[in-house]
Amino acid sequence: MYLTREHVERLRGRPGLAIGPKGGELFGYHTVPRYLDNATFTQLVQDGWIGTRGRASGVIQAQIKASLDGSRALVFAGLIGDDMTQAERMRERRGGSGG
C-alpha cells in the first residue's frame, strides 16, 4: 500500500480507522478508501506515467546513498537504457505521436 504523506495526514483521525495496541492509528485495505498497490505502482512506472530523469534522479541517488550509509533497509528498482516504455510502444503501434 503506497500512500503520500499528504494522504496520510488527511486520513488521520478519520472515523473507521482502527487503533493499535499502543494507541496508534492502523491503516489497512478495509479502512483506506484509495491507495496504490504494488501492481498499480509498477504499471505506472512501466508505462512512464511516474518516475524520474535528469536532476531528480540525482536527488534520488543521494537519498539512496544516505539510506545505505545509515544502515537502513532499501528496495530500489530502475530502468536503465533506451528501451521504450509500454506507453511509447503502444503509441508507436497505433501510429500516433500522442497527445
Side-chain angles (χ1 to χ4, degrees):
M1 180 181 283
Y2 296 89
L3 302 170
T4 65
R5 178 182 47 81
E6 292 85 0
H7 192 149
V8 170
E9 289 172 358
R10 280 193 299 268
L11 292 170
R12 294 199 65 208
R14 181 185 170 132
L17 281 180
I19 302 298
K22 295 185 179 181
E25 296 170 312
L26 298 175
F27 295 89
Y29 297 110
H30 299 291
T31 60
V32 176
R34 296 183 64 175
Y35 56 87
L36 285 176
D37 59 18
N38 290 345
T40 304
F41 181 79
T42 301
Q43 192 66 50
L44 289 170
V45 171
Q46 184 179 34
D47 290 349
W49 286 101
I50 59 176
T52 64
R53 62 184 340 168
R55 181 178 287 174
S57 295
V59 171
I60 291 174
Q61 182 180 9
Q63 183 60 54
I64 289 170
K65 183 175 179 347
S67 294
L68 294 174
D69 289 347
S71 299
R72 296 180 179 257
L74 177 71
V75 175
F76 175 77
L79 175 63
I80 299 170
D82 295 328
D83 292 345
M84 288 190 289
T85 65
Q86 182 177 354
E88 290 168 331
R89 288 191 303 273
M90 292 180 74
R91 191 177 315 121
E92 188 175 86
R93 281 187 214 134
R94 289 190 301 265
S97 60

